[in-house]
Amino acid sequence: MKPIETKQEYSDYVDQKSPNSPILKNCFNAFWVGGLICSIGQIIMDFCQYQGMDQTSASTVVSIILIAISAILTGLNVFNKIGKFAGAGSLVPITGFANSIVSPAIEYKSEGYIMGVGGKMFTVAGPVLVFGISASVIVGIIATFFQG
């Protein structure tokens, strides 16, 4: 085999060696797993409201339970398997956010609780928080100016 000399030759080589991704299968798995996670959240919400909670309290309980389940499954290395199977279907709901905080905390535990867990816990979720909070502040300011 002759050496690869151009970007095009390299691109062709990579395309030849890379397996094709089953896009429809991946989309289907993401859809039904994400839907299942959301359905579980809705079942918890309905149960909380059946027990007499108002909408706000029930929503808070659902968030806490889904975050706890995701954190526990991440700690048991089950969430990663679900993520490999479902892709974005497991990452889009609030469970993905919990996973993005717990995974680095587990990974860097050997560096200690302060510099490892505390310092690395928000490496993935940190930018999401910064840009999410910043965007909400900007939208809030704009909305304040346009209210009559």
Side-chain angles (χ1 to χ4, degrees):
M1 179 176 173
K2 72 175 192 152
I4 298 172
E5 296 177 3
T6 66
K7 288 183 181 181
Q8 183 61 40
E9 287 176 349
Y10 178 74
S11 178
D12 293 341
Y13 176 76
V14 169
D15 289 341
Q16 178 185 9
K17 295 294 182 181
S18 299
N20 291 332
S21 178
I23 294 173
L24 288 176
K25 178 184 163 212
N26 291 346
C27 288
F28 177 74
N29 288 340
F31 177 77
W32 79 261
V33 172
L36 179 64
I37 293 169
C38 293
S39 295
I40 291 169
Q42 187 63 51
I43 290 168
I44 297 168
M45 172 82 85
D46 292 344
F47 179 77
C48 290
Q49 288 179 329
Y50 176 77
Q51 293 296 320
M53 290 185 189
D54 63 348
Q55 178 80 26
T56 304
S57 298
S59 298
T60 303
V61 170
V62 169
S63 296
I64 291 169
I65 290 174
L66 288 177
I67 288 169
I69 290 170
S70 176
I72 291 167
L73 291 178
T74 299
L76 297 173
N77 201 28
V78 173
F79 195 89
N80 293 337
K81 293 174 185 171
I82 295 170
K84 276 187 175 184
F85 176 76
S90 64
L91 299 177
V92 173
I94 196 168
T95 54
F97 179 75
N99 175 263
S100 72
I101 292 175
V102 175
S103 290
I106 292 170
E107 183 177 344
Y108 292 101
K109 183 180 175 195
S110 63
E111 294 182 22
Y113 288 110
I114 303 298
M115 297 306 292
V117 174
K120 303 291 185 178
M121 187 181 294
F122 293 102
T123 54
V124 176
V128 174
L129 291 171
V130 168
F131 291 115
I133 292 168
S134 300
S136 65
V137 168
I138 291 168
V139 169
I141 291 170
I142 292 170
T144 300
F145 286 123
F146 287 107
Q147 286 182 343

